[in-house]
Amino acid sequence: MAELQPIETALDALLAEVMPLAVERVALNDAAGRVLAEPVTATLDVPPFNNSAMDGYALRAVDAGKWLLVSQRVAAGDTAQPLAAGTCARIFTGGQMPPGADCVVMQERVVEKEGEALIPDDVPAGDNVRLQGRDVRQGDLLLNAGERLEAAALGHLAGQGITDVSVRRRPRVALLSTGDEIVDPGTPLEPGQLYNSNRPMLKRLLETFGAEVVQLVSVPDDYAQTVALLNAAAADADVVVSTGGVSVGEEDHVKAALESLGQLDMWKLAIRPGKPLALGRLPRDDGSLARFVGLPGNPVSGFVGAWLFLRPLIGALLDCPSLGSLPRLAATARFATDTGPRQHYMRVALRFTAEGIEAEAFDDQNSAVLSSCIAADALAVIEPHCQVEPGSRVTCLWLVH
């Protein structure tokens, strides 16, 4: 019997010799969720000029505490004129500060009458002014390569007038479901059959990790067809993911098919759930290799395996460090468990309290109970041969995309 391998050994095998994918140029409007391939340097100050942080009156601080003539009106988008001494300017949020003005007093504190404004006497220089370059200075590193372009990053780029960016090509993934007993929703169930819950779950996870799912294939319990479908999947994908068929049953053909086509790097891990997990490589006609991840068929095993293996693999292909590992949080256990020889990844909900983070485990941790994953915020990592009691400190992997 093959010795069970630790997860660290499996990850090393999975990520060995993985090279980032090619670079392509895309419009900024189409870049959401993509991974930046090149650093971007600011060409503009942000904000590009001193402007008002609110509706009010711009003035010299030394003129506060008196009635001042309102000498101009500056709305957002207007070009402000130099401020005459002993006057103020009516100004609106985002409006350009008139040269000479060094503060803004909010309109609620000012009395205006017949073209003059009574300014309170406690208005310091710099008050309510956004200075040029406060956020970004020309020449600053705006974003580094490997950054995922989510909402704030997209806004940061748009603030420089950028219209297109260099990003990594999305990893192409073929998702194979094995087993004659697995059928798609919408098909009447025959005795002994199950609906395919893994396919939509894994497709969604892969897409949130940054991949593009290009094939959805059902693989029958037949060795020759398994070989043919694996070969076809590798020809069109950077990563081939299968569910089921990697155990030791007579109808589990994926491992044997993988070994006949390419190479098996790892099989059987010392983790729970997910022991019968296979990692390997499939050759393509151009001499390159598609990575293979064979997940167990039980849906919880597929869910956990996706976070532990598919996420870092997609991250390596995208050259995106933030996908390489899940954030680790120290929490107080609000559950009890005993582990055997395998490392256990328990589905837990996190509570953030004044005393710290608490982890509440789902009652039924069986690998077929997918409901345990719905409310899970994290995976509590329980070492082999470990006893956890309520109040014990545990490490949790936070499930963030």
Side-chain angles (χ1 to χ4, degrees):
M1 179 179 294
E3 182 181 354
L4 299 182
Q5 298 297 316
I7 185 172
E8 294 79 11
T9 303
L11 283 170
D12 287 345
L14 175 68
L15 302 179
E17 302 173 4
V18 172
M19 298 297 295
L21 296 174
V23 176
E24 59 187 14
R25 199 83 182 169
V26 300
L28 186 66
N29 286 339
D30 298 324
R34 304 296 296 272
V35 174
L36 199 62
E38 299 171 354
V40 178
T41 301
T43 59
L44 301 171
D45 288 344
V46 179
F49 49 83
N50 296 344
N51 68 88
S52 176
M54 60 181 53
D55 295 346
Y57 295 81
L59 64 144
R60 292 176 174 85
V62 296
D63 290 333
K66 46 180 100 162
W67 284 93
L68 300 177
L69 176 69
V70 181
S71 59
Q72 60 178 299
R73 181 180 186 276
V74 185
D78 291 347
T79 299
Q81 301 303 311
L83 187 70
T87 73
C88 65
R90 181 73 168 105
I91 197 166
F92 297 89
T93 303
Q96 184 182 42
M97 288 291 291
D102 60 12
C103 61
V104 174
V105 59
M106 67 177 66
Q107 63 186 17
E108 293 85 352
R109 300 186 64 207
V110 175
V111 176
E112 184 175 350
K113 184 177 181 182
E114 297 179 355
E116 292 190 334
L118 176 60
I119 307 298
D121 59 8
D122 57 346
V123 184
D127 205 26
N128 299 318
V129 177
R130 302 178 183 133
L131 294 177
Q132 179 176 342
R134 176 176 180 172
D135 186 11
V136 177
R137 288 285 187 184
Q138 183 180 359
D140 286 352
L141 177 65
L142 195 70
L143 293 173
N144 216 334
E147 183 81 28
R148 291 192 83 181
L149 298 178
E150 301 299 349
L154 292 169
H156 216 34
L157 294 170
Q160 293 289 311
I162 290 171
T163 58
D164 54 85
V165 288
S166 293
V167 297
R168 292 288 173 187
R169 177 175 67 78
R170 284 192 181 100
R172 293 167 59 85
V173 179
L175 183 53
L176 280 58
S177 304
T178 72
D180 291 339
E181 78 281 9
I182 304 299
V183 298
D184 291 331
T187 304
L189 283 179
E190 300 293 337
Q193 291 184 328
L194 300 168
Y195 283 126
N196 191 344
S197 58
N198 276 316
R199 177 176 287 169
M201 175 185 70
L202 292 175
K203 181 175 184 292
R204 176 58 181 159
L205 283 173
L206 284 161
E207 289 170 346
T208 60
F209 299 156
E212 177 186 9
V213 178
V214 296
Q215 290 188 42
L216 297 170
V217 181
S218 295
V219 181
D221 288 328
D222 177 85
Y223 174 74
Q225 292 190 63
T226 301
V227 170
L229 290 171
L230 275 178
N231 194 44
D236 191 38
D238 305 295
V239 179
V240 177
V241 178
S242 74
T243 56
V246 292
S247 192
V248 294
E250 293 180 7
E251 299 300 330
D252 292 325
H253 301 295
V254 172
K255 174 177 173 287
L258 171 65
E259 290 176 308
S260 72
L261 290 170
Q263 65 185 71
L264 177 69
D265 294 326
M266 188 70 57
W267 183 51
K268 288 191 175 181
L269 304 183
I271 65 172
R272 178 186 177 193
K275 181 180 76 170
L277 184 141
L279 306 175
R281 312 177 201 200
L282 292 163
R284 296 188 226 167
D285 292 340
D286 63 3
S288 64
L289 295 171
R291 297 288 166 151
F292 174 82
V293 179
L295 297 173
N298 281 328
V300 174
S301 300
F303 179 85
V304 172
W307 285 100
L308 297 182
F309 297 100
L310 295 181
R311 186 178 185 271
L313 176 57
I314 298 302
L317 291 167
L318 290 171
D319 200 17
C320 180
S322 66
L323 289 172
S325 59
L326 289 165
R328 290 177 172 264
L329 301 176
T332 300
R334 294 296 177 235
F335 60 89
T337 190
D338 289 298
T339 58
R342 290 184 282 159
Q343 187 158 285
H344 196 175
Y345 291 85
M346 299 182 67
R347 280 71 66 207
V348 297
L350 299 179
R351 290 193 301 166
F352 296 83
T353 72
E355 290 72 35
I357 304 172
E358 297 180 349
E360 184 74 42
F362 194 82
D363 288 339
D364 192 342
Q365 294 282 323
N366 185 275
S367 61
V369 181
L370 188 56
S371 54
S372 68
C373 301
I374 293 173
D377 302 305
L379 301 174
V381 184
I382 314 300
E383 299 295 328
H385 306 293
C386 181
Q387 184 173 9
V388 173
E389 300 290 345
S392 298
R393 298 293 283 172
V394 293
T395 296
C396 295
L397 302 179
W398 200 4
L399 301 179
V400 293
H401 297 119

